[in-house]
Amino acid sequence: CPTSSHLSLDMKVLKVEEVLSKGEGERASVRLILEDADDVWTLYNLLEVDDEIRASTTRKVAADQGSVSGSTEKRRVTLTLQATKVEYDGINASVRVSGRNVSSNQFVSLGAYHTTEISRGDVTVTKSGWDAGHREALTAKRKGGDIVAVLLTEEGGTYRARAYALSGSLSRHIASVDASRPKSDVGRDKARDKFIAQLRKALLETVEWDTCRCIALCGADIQETEKKLSALSTSSSSSKSSSLKKSRSSSRAKADGGG
């Protein structure tokens, strides 16, 4: 049985609470608390086929006695899956793991297949060996906060915006906005105003404002877009609108200062 030890890792968000026997080629487990998209990306890079992951998930199981015969209900259960497939979902910042249940559970039989999607919470990963790359992924320092880059284009008859959250190790597509662009000048200003309002709404809903350092606008008519985004933010009293205005102002100040 491997010796238990405690390791304090110098990471800003990802918390490793316990590491069992860190030697290469030796079976060991690490417990992770996933709090943000960078943590999920780290988990994805750690996981390989045949690794075991223990996490809370939902599963359809037979209903309790007294229910209609053959009926099922969804229950939250904690399973340990031996991974057969690992996928990363960049839009939702989650990891999808498929595999066989290898732990005893009153609702799910041993060997039963299950797929779970993990984006936050407490997980335990067990590997037959933790090599130098795995340990580096756990201990890598991150730069604090995201930069959100918004790419603005006009393609054919469509206004397009694509927003990406950029961190020290990860680029994530977080939002897309498309709107029709009138062929004639009539109604074009109104259409663009509607497009910018949709962009503002998407940014307010998808940006993690607690960690966002700035928003950078790139592409067509960015000065006009900036002015209208600023006007929309000023007209709203919400804290997120204020954050949007400050983030954009910070981005422009850095650009003007050559920083």
Side-chain angles (χ1 to χ4, degrees):
C1 179
T3 302
S4 176
S5 63
H6 293 272
L7 181 64
S8 177
L9 297 175
D10 185 14
M11 302 188 73
K12 183 175 181 181
V13 181
L14 184 65
K15 300 174 182 175
V16 177
E17 295 187 348
E18 186 177 90
V19 175
L20 302 177
S21 182
K22 305 180 295 298
E24 289 192 25
E26 207 172 343
R27 181 179 171 86
S29 299
V30 63
R31 187 179 174 194
L32 310 174
I33 308 298
L34 308 181
E35 296 181 337
D36 64 10
D38 273 344
D39 295 348
V40 175
W41 178 249
T42 298
L43 175 66
Y44 173 68
N45 282 284
L46 287 174
L47 284 175
E48 299 171 323
V49 170
D50 289 333
D51 288 348
E52 294 177 9
I53 181 165
R54 182 174 179 81
S56 176
T57 184
T58 55
R59 171 92 174 188
K60 279 188 177 181
V61 300
D64 293 335
Q65 291 183 353
S67 302
V68 177
S69 177
S71 63
T72 62
E73 61 183 3
K74 277 191 175 182
R75 278 186 177 269
R76 181 155 291 278
V77 296
T78 298
L79 299 179
T80 302
L81 301 179
Q82 184 177 31
T84 57
K85 188 177 183 180
V86 180
E87 298 176 300
Y88 178 72
D89 182 344
I91 297 294
N92 296 310
S94 63
V95 174
R96 191 175 300 109
V97 182
S98 300
R100 296 183 301 108
N101 177 40
V102 295
S103 63
S104 178
N105 187 285
Q106 70 178 104
F107 299 109
V108 184
S109 60
L110 286 172
Y113 280 86
H114 183 75
T115 297
T116 184
E117 190 157 345
I118 302 168
S119 60
R120 297 291 188 275
D122 188 333
V123 302
T124 299
V125 177
T126 302
K127 303 173 77 71
S128 59
W130 293 77
D131 61 25
H134 297 142
R135 288 197 296 273
E136 183 180 354
L138 289 175
T139 58
K141 293 183 179 180
R142 303 193 190 121
K143 297 179 180 179
D146 288 343
I147 295 174
V148 174
V150 182
L151 307 183
L152 303 166
T153 60
E154 295 181 12
E155 301 177 13
T158 305
Y159 295 118
R160 299 187 189 278
R162 300 292 182 264
Y164 300 86
L166 313 176
S167 63
S169 60
L170 179 63
S171 170
R172 294 183 294 114
H173 175 206
I174 60 172
S176 294
V177 178
D178 295 320
S180 296
R181 179 181 184 274
K183 292 181 179 180
S184 66
D185 292 340
V186 178
R188 187 171 295 171
D189 287 345
K190 185 176 180 180
R192 186 163 182 83
D193 288 348
K194 183 178 179 181
F195 165 70
I196 292 172
Q198 291 173 337
L199 172 59
R200 172 186 174 275
K201 182 175 184 291
L203 292 175
L204 291 176
E205 290 176 351
T206 60
V207 171
E208 295 182 4
W209 295 102
D210 290 341
T211 59
C212 179
R213 287 186 287 165
C214 70
I215 292 178
L217 302 178
C218 316
D221 295 332
I222 60 173
Q223 290 185 335
E224 184 65 23
T225 303
E226 183 179 17
K227 289 178 183 177
K228 291 183 178 180
L229 277 174
S230 181
L232 285 169
S233 297
T234 302
S235 66
S236 172
S237 61
S238 73
S239 60
K240 287 185 177 180
S241 290
S242 298
S243 296
L244 174 57
K245 185 179 180 183
K246 289 177 183 177
S247 294
R248 284 181 40 269
S249 298
S250 172
S251 174
R252 185 175 184 183
K254 289 180 180 179
D256 292 344

